[in-house]
């Protein structure tokens, strides 16, 4: 199966024209409308892992130093 995803809101007459064109070439096509996926969960920024684990600094101090340049 091959999928074509139209990311913008497209007028119904244009969608109908596209489907008719595909069917004229004997391509079986159908229209499925779905809602855009939303981010369910955001990851919490943590200093407990990675390169900052050996340093005595918390996430607020790190953010403050990064944004005050």
């Amino acid at each position: 199966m091959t999928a074509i995803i139209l990311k913008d809101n497209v007028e119904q007459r244009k969608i109908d024209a596209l489907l008719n064109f595909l069917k004229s070439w004997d391509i079986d096509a159908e229209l499925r409308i779905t809602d855009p996926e939303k981010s369910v969960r955001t990851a919490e920024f943590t200093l407990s892992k990675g390169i900052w684990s050996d340093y005595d600094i918390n996430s607020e101090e790190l953010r403050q130093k990064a944004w005050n340049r």
Side-chain angles (χ1 to χ4, degrees):
M1 177 167 77
T2 302
I4 297 175
I5 300 171
L6 304 175
K7 294 184 179 183
D8 294 328
N9 289 332
V10 180
E11 296 174 28
Q12 186 62 43
R13 66 181 182 86
K14 292 179 181 180
I15 293 172
D16 293 339
L18 177 61
L19 290 173
N20 287 332
F21 171 75
L22 293 171
K23 288 178 183 180
S24 72
W25 280 51
D26 294 326
I27 298 173
D28 188 23
E30 67 180 45
L31 177 63
R32 292 185 190 175
I33 299 173
T34 60
D35 293 329
E37 294 180 10
K38 294 181 181 178
S39 177
V40 176
R41 167 189 139 176
T42 59
E44 181 65 29
F45 178 73
T46 178
L47 295 176
S48 63
K49 296 181 182 178
I51 62 172
W52 298 106
S53 61
D54 296 332
Y55 295 91
D56 186 27
I57 189 169
N58 66 28
S59 59
E60 289 301 318
E61 290 175 309
L62 186 60
R63 286 186 184 104
Q64 190 68 24
K65 288 181 180 183
W67 286 105
N68 282 336
R69 290 186 177 189

